[in-house]
Amino acid sequence: MLLDDLNLQQREAVKQIEGAVMIIAGAGSGKTRTLTYKIAYLLEQGISPYNILALTFTNKAAEEMKERIIDLTGNTAKSILMGTFHSVFARILRLEADRLGYVRNFTIYDTDDSKSVIKSIVKEKHLDEKLYSPSFILDRISKAKNNLFSSTDYLNNTELLTEDRMVKRPEIANIYKEYNFRLRRAMAMDFDDLLFNLNVLLRDCPDILDKYQQRFKYIMVDEYQDTNYSQYLIIKKLSSKHGNICVVGDDAQSIYSFRGATIRNILNFKKDYKNATIYKLEQNYRSTQNIVNAANSVIANNENQISKEVWTENEYGRKINYMNLDSDREEAFYICSAIRQRIEEEYAHYKHFAVLYRTNMQSRALEEALRLRNIPYRLYGGISFYARKEIKDILAYFRLVSNNNDNEAFLRIINYPARGIGNTTINRLKLLAAEQNTSLFNVSVQLNTLPSDINKATRDKIVEFCRMISSYSKLLDTENALNLGEEIIRFSGIKIELHKEETIEAEEKINNIEELINSLQSFVFKDDDILIDELTGEEIYQQNRTLTTFLSQVSLMTDADMDLEDNDKVVLMTIHAAKGLEFPYVFIAGMEENLFPSMLSLTSRADTEEERRLFYVAITRAQKELLITSARMRFRYGELVFSEHSRFIDEIDPEYLSQPLHTKKAFPAGNLNGNSNSNTQNTKKPILTLKKKSVSSDSKLELPKPIGGVPAHMLNKYEVGQQVVHASFGKGIILILDGEGDSRKAVVEFEDKGKKTLILRFAKLEIL
């Protein structure tokens, strides 16, 4: 029988299908399995898949769950509407777009698009571009939208306006208003709009609310502790008619407040749903007893939590190995030596190891040590496939064909490849569009009939470009994504342009474009000849798998939708990125005060408790062995910082550590299991920060002696994934950092110039 594969607690949680249910799932307790079986059980009880809505936080989780449900119940499960909040809500918004004054093929702007719009507004308003940085402004707007503050609400909110004046940015409200106006004119929504606008739709259109309440009689929400206020309200509205809502999560793993998530949603579930039943999954199937017990001893220090006691029947396992090394460099080499030893002695594979850290900047020393020891590794947090310049260029062509009003797509490709349309012409087009209150494309189409001082030859080029885009737009509903996509790629001329470069980098870009074509093919010929639209219940044939639908799917890909099975490599990643994953061997590096917990988190108990939950998440990623390291001195932002070990180390019950806390200055290659003859205790002392120039000449640290260019100690501020600007090459993103001191180099992917390898001392890259 279906439920025979579940333990008693899981079975009871699955069997209750009516009313409000909250499943508190401790780390490694089979959360996904329980939710999967619950949906399968609903189908087994005769519930129509059309009446089930399942919301997740990653596309990967949704796909894996649906595949499992299909294995359990058959192909009827294909009709379940299951996906991320953003992907599901985007589909509803497309279906009901006219009620909000949008076209169905509206564009979804990514972060770069949004920042580009904000940058233009700031420039046009003649504001200080450093003070009004796109990242800061977008974060402020995002938080406002997630709390359902429209631009009008923002302008009328005295508290918000006062906060902006206090940080010397009084124009944020006006930028927000103009930003929303430009998105609307471009028939575009950003990620936050997908939540904001669905709230507006359900608030202002009672018939639409009733329609989806009747449709979604059973609602399942995964990772409920990660929901924000906007998501919370949508779930509450949709479930209010039938009351059959099941949320699954773990308050001890609520770590995304910086994205707007609020732990209150899961802590207050019983208040929101008075007759709710709570089930607790407390048996851990992932980790050893020692790891589980250590995690429990840490999280017990939080006051704001739902009580539970996670336990396991797994073997007791090794005690946690904690090492406090002299420096971040010694810490990195210790980790390398430990990996080598376990591979040689325990026949482990590289992919069995994960090195987790609090901030991306910590990866530099680790990467250098791994390369020197010839240990293959894979770094997460760099540029993703769909963020590569050549792919974004092709997608911009697709976007403009799908939505002619998409100004950001238009600006990206109107002169790429070069058509002799310069900035002066583009600025004139912008002025015309503003005067006509329309999109750049609409102005360009009519260019020969509008008064303009753009010369005839240039006008003809622009009009011809728009004519071709329009001809492809007419094929959107009749041609599938593959046929139309390949034709647009041919028209763009981007592959021809890349062939002209005759470089290895250009060849790699061409290969990436071919991979994009492969993804179009997979989309069109996915599964069988007929696909059921989970939202409408209609059959979708291959020729109707359109470019617009493909774009919607691609625009909603998340960083969490990554494949860890590709290569036998050690994984380097932040703890936030590791949530939901597990590895036999886990290292947590950089366990120092003001690094982990972060200095910014120490101002309030709530923030410190979230940092503690983050440490809990890190501990519970480990299946077989956990090793924790810290460094007494570490270079941070060009400074040598001396630190004491993290307070969280002291919160681990000593019973679960392999040895008393100690400082280890050096280590022999064979002594990696925490057995030290040193009795030196790690004495607590105030944190001391030293500028590099203040280190005495007889110090064992050899300081670089720069000859011209930027001083070497200023080069540590660069990180993989940062957006930067070069005086000649323009805007780009750092892909790889290599070397140290004067010889430190960066491989940067520039938007217009492709990949360049630069010596940082002379490059003078400005961080955006």
Side-chain angles (χ1 to χ4, degrees), residues 57-60 63 84 86-87 108 110 191 384-387 395 519 550-563:
F57 273 85
T58 69
N59 297 295
K60 186 177 179 182
E63 289 169 8
T84 65
H86 291 85
S87 65
I108 300 172
D110 64 16
F191 287 162
S384 68
F385 177 78
Y386 289 105
L395 292 178
S519 67
F550 174 78
L551 282 171
S552 182
Q553 177 179 293
V554 166
S555 66
L556 295 165
M557 292 287 286
T558 70
D559 292 340
D561 298 315
M562 56 191 179
D563 187 0

Side-chain angles (χ1 to χ4, degrees), residues 318-411:
R318 299 171 184 169
K319 293 194 174 186
I320 294 170
N321 184 348
Y322 168 63
M323 300 297 289
N324 188 23
L325 290 310
D326 265 356
S327 67
D328 52 351
R329 185 170 182 178
E330 189 173 341
E331 175 189 51
F333 277 103
Y334 169 78
I335 290 171
C336 289
S337 297
I339 291 172
R340 279 276 186 228
Q341 185 186 58
R342 279 144 185 80
I343 284 177
E344 292 169 4
E345 295 179 1
E346 302 178 20
Y347 306 104
H349 296 284
Y350 289 117
K351 65 182 179 182
H352 294 159
F353 296 84
V355 185
L356 310 181
Y357 36 79
R358 181 64 181 83
T359 64
N360 278 309
M361 69 177 182
Q362 292 169 251
S363 72
R364 181 186 61 82
L366 293 164
E367 287 184 79
E368 289 176 1
L370 289 164
R371 281 197 297 270
L372 285 170
R373 293 293 183 91
N374 294 315
I375 295 176
Y377 68 90
R378 195 173 179 189
L379 176 69
Y380 289 92
I383 190 167
S384 68
F385 177 78
Y386 289 105
R388 296 178 188 277
K389 179 187 180 300
E390 63 276 13
I391 300 302
K392 293 199 76 168
D393 290 336
I394 296 292
L395 292 178
Y397 275 91
F398 290 178
R399 282 168 47 178
L400 193 59
V401 167
S402 177
N403 173 15
N404 296 161
N405 294 301
D406 188 339
N407 283 345
E408 290 306 306
F410 181 93
L411 290 170

Side-chain angles (χ1 to χ4, degrees), residues 607-758:
D607 289 341
T608 304
E609 289 200 352
E610 176 154 335
E611 288 286 292
R612 187 176 288 111
R613 292 195 294 270
L614 188 61
F615 185 43
Y616 176 85
V617 167
I619 293 172
T620 55
R621 297 314 92 198
Q623 297 170 298
K624 181 177 180 179
E625 184 176 15
L626 176 66
L627 302 95
I628 302 175
T629 59
S630 59
R632 292 192 300 116
M633 51 187 174
R634 180 184 302 275
F635 282 114
R636 296 177 64 188
Y637 305 111
E639 297 177 347
L640 184 61
V641 179
F642 286 81
S643 300
E644 58 183 0
H645 68 257
S646 169
R647 67 188 64 192
F648 296 153
I649 298 296
D650 295 324
E651 293 177 356
I652 301 174
D653 190 317
E655 177 186 349
Y656 309 123
L657 294 170
S658 63
Q659 61 205 15
L661 299 187
H662 69 279
T663 299
K664 187 169 177 61
K665 289 192 172 183
F667 52 89
N671 185 21
L672 300 173
N673 293 312
N675 300 317
S676 171
N677 295 323
S678 171
N679 293 317
T680 307
Q681 295 296 315
N682 182 29
T683 55
K684 301 260 181 174
K685 53 186 167 186
I687 296 170
L688 175 65
T689 302
L690 296 178
K691 299 286 186 182
K692 278 191 176 181
K693 64 184 180 182
S694 68
V695 179
S696 61
S697 59
D698 62 349
S699 167
K700 66 176 181 179
L701 292 169
E702 294 181 9
L703 301 179
K705 299 175 182 177
I707 303 173
V710 178
H713 72 271
M714 296 293 290
L715 305 181
N716 293 321
K717 64 183 178 180
Y718 297 109
E719 300 174 16
V720 171
Q722 279 180 334
Q723 287 192 323
V724 293
V725 172
H726 186 275
S728 301
F729 303 139
K731 184 179 175 183
I733 186 166
I734 296 176
L735 301 183
I736 299 171
L737 289 168
D738 193 14
E740 58 183 12
D742 290 347
S743 61
R744 190 158 169 75
K745 300 176 184 177
V747 177
V748 182
E749 174 99 29
F750 291 100
E751 288 185 356
D752 299 320
K753 301 295 183 181
K755 284 183 186 175
K756 303 288 182 183
T757 301
L758 306 172

Side-chain angles (χ1 to χ4, degrees), residues 182-281:
R182 295 193 185 190
L183 259 64
R184 169 72 71 155
R185 189 169 64 188
M187 284 291 128
M189 297 185 195
D190 62 21
F191 287 162
D192 298 311
D193 283 330
L194 298 176
L195 306 180
F196 185 94
N197 286 335
L198 187 59
N199 267 294
V200 171
L201 182 70
L202 299 179
R203 181 196 67 195
D204 296 348
C205 305
D207 58 319
I208 298 294
L209 174 60
D210 183 68
K211 171 183 174 181
Y212 289 104
Q213 285 177 334
Q214 295 286 7
R215 163 75 190 274
F216 303 130
K217 295 178 180 177
Y218 296 87
I219 298 174
M220 314 283 152
V221 184
D222 192 16
E223 304 286 10
Y224 190 64
Q225 78 280 349
D226 294 335
T227 53
N228 61 29
Y229 178 64
S230 185
Q231 291 162 330
Y232 159 81
L233 277 186
I234 293 170
I235 295 164
K236 205 165 189 309
K237 288 176 183 175
L238 290 176
S239 64
S240 63
K241 183 175 288 290
H242 297 284
N244 300 323
I245 178 170
C246 174
V247 303
V248 184
D250 182 7
D251 59 293
Q253 297 185 65
S254 178
I255 59 172
Y256 292 117
S257 65
F258 66 94
R259 294 181 186 169
T262 171
I263 194 173
R264 291 193 306 272
N265 292 346
I266 194 166
L267 295 179
N268 294 338
F269 188 80
K270 282 282 284 185
K271 294 180 182 178
D272 293 323
Y273 302 90
K274 303 297 183 186
N275 299 317
T277 305
I278 297 180
Y279 296 94
K280 296 181 182 179
L281 308 183

